[in-house]
Amino acid sequence: AQRVTQPEKLLSVFKGAPVELKCNYSYSGSPELFWYVQYSRQRLQLLLRHISRESIKGFTADLNKGETSFHLKKPFAQEEDSAMYYCALKGCGALIFGKGTTLSVSS
Amino acid sequence: EAQVTQNPRYLITVTGKKLTVTCSQNMNHEYMSWYRQDPGLGLRQIYYSMNVEVTDKGDVPEGYKVSRKEKRNFPLILESPSPNQTSLYFCASSLGPGGRDNEQFFGPGTRLTVL
């Protein structure tokens, strides 16, 4: 079964603190994973994809096949990072999203 | 400007009154899909289309219909809306089904309330 699990509905941190948004997946093949972000009153947009091994807005995510995880990390959170974050898995003919985690960064 | 547009953005209707939410993209994308977003349930795919005249069910297709007569348009049809279809709906498009370099571009969303 193809599945994406984001165990936290809400993650609250203070500005400057490290952030880790958890994502675990279940997929029998070679996974392609993404993080999408939705800022308040904006449309959903791609943040980063594992294939590119990129860092966007200070965020990184490493695919760990052994732990079937693709956690999103940032060493120092900023208030503008507050948003809803979705982990997504490219399955057969569809992009499967997790339930999302709301990140709240306060000063 | 490359974009995905949806209309209407907001709609309040009554149970049983047929409605259509339009979706259009100007990026010549082959792949289009519809999602609904509900609190605590995240994004769930309703239907998707790999190309013109090719559509398939997503995770929650019950109560919805779609058509793909032209590449740029992918309307979502609710023949007989019910209150449990009250939700925020997103249309998305990409060159392919979201893999590798095929980023999904999302529309602004349509907030539907069924009374």
Side-chain angles (χ1 to χ4, degrees):
Chain A
Q2 302 164 90
R3 190 166 51 243
V4 176
T5 303
Q6 293 180 251
E8 303 141 327
K9 277 189 180 179
L10 173 66
L11 183 63
S12 297
V13 301
F14 287 109
K15 178 181 170 182
V19 169
E20 182 178 68
L21 297 165
K22 291 184 167 47
C23 172
N24 288 91
Y25 67 90
S26 172
Y27 186 61
S28 57
S30 186
E32 294 180 50
L33 287 146
F34 308 82
W35 277 99
Y36 280 79
V37 61
Q38 187 178 27
Y39 299 103
S40 179
R41 301 186 189 282
Q42 294 186 30
R43 62 186 74 192
L44 204 66
Q45 57 189 290
L46 180 68
L47 180 61
L48 54 79
R49 65 203 94 188
H50 93 271
I51 201 88
S52 306
R53 301 185 64 80
E54 58 205 340
S55 173
I56 303 291
K57 298 184 179 182
F59 284 98
T60 59
D62 290 319
L63 177 61
N64 186 322
K65 291 186 179 181
E67 296 182 359
T68 59
S69 69
F70 187 55
H71 302 328
L72 183 68
K73 299 177 184 179
K74 185 169 182 176
F76 308 104
Q78 303 298 314
E79 289 182 75
E80 55 265 30
D81 295 328
S82 295
M84 173 77 97
Y85 291 81
Y86 287 97
C87 182
L89 165 72
K90 190 251 174 186
C92 299
L95 197 62
I96 299 162
F97 286 86
K99 292 185 178 181
T101 298
T102 299
L103 174 64
S104 176
V105 181
S106 55
S107 56
Chain B
E1 180 191 352
Q3 60 181 343
V4 178
T5 56
Q6 294 177 228
N7 281 293
R9 295 289 313 281
Y10 303 91
L11 179 60
I12 300 174
T13 189
V14 295
T15 298
K17 187 176 181 182
K18 181 180 178 180
L19 66 92
T20 299
V21 184
T22 64
C23 173
S24 183
Q25 50 92 7
N26 61 1
M27 295 170 279
N28 202 34
H29 285 167
E30 291 190 349
Y31 184 88
M32 297 185 76
S33 59
W34 275 103
Y35 297 88
R36 59 179 289 175
Q37 185 183 42
D38 301 288
L41 297 176
L43 274 171
R44 293 179 294 168
Q45 192 176 54
I46 303 170
Y47 268 95
Y48 63 94
S49 170
M50 297 276 210
N51 212 326
V52 175
E53 301 292 3
V54 180
T55 63
D56 211 343
K57 296 177 181 178
D59 296 323
V60 288
E62 294 79 18
Y64 304 94
K65 283 175 56 177
V66 292
S67 71
R68 188 88 183 274
K69 293 183 169 48
E70 306 165 280
K71 200 171 190 178
R72 63 183 290 123
N73 296 323
F74 190 45
L76 179 69
I77 303 155
L78 284 72
E79 294 270 4
S80 183
S82 61
N84 64 10
Q85 292 178 298
T86 293
S87 186
L88 180 58
Y89 292 86
F90 288 99
C91 180
S93 75
S94 61
L95 283 171
R100 287 204 164 255
D101 295 326
N102 292 330
E103 173 182 351
Q104 286 223 350
F105 291 84
F106 283 82
T110 294
R111 187 165 291 283
L112 171 66
T113 301
V114 183
L115 302 174

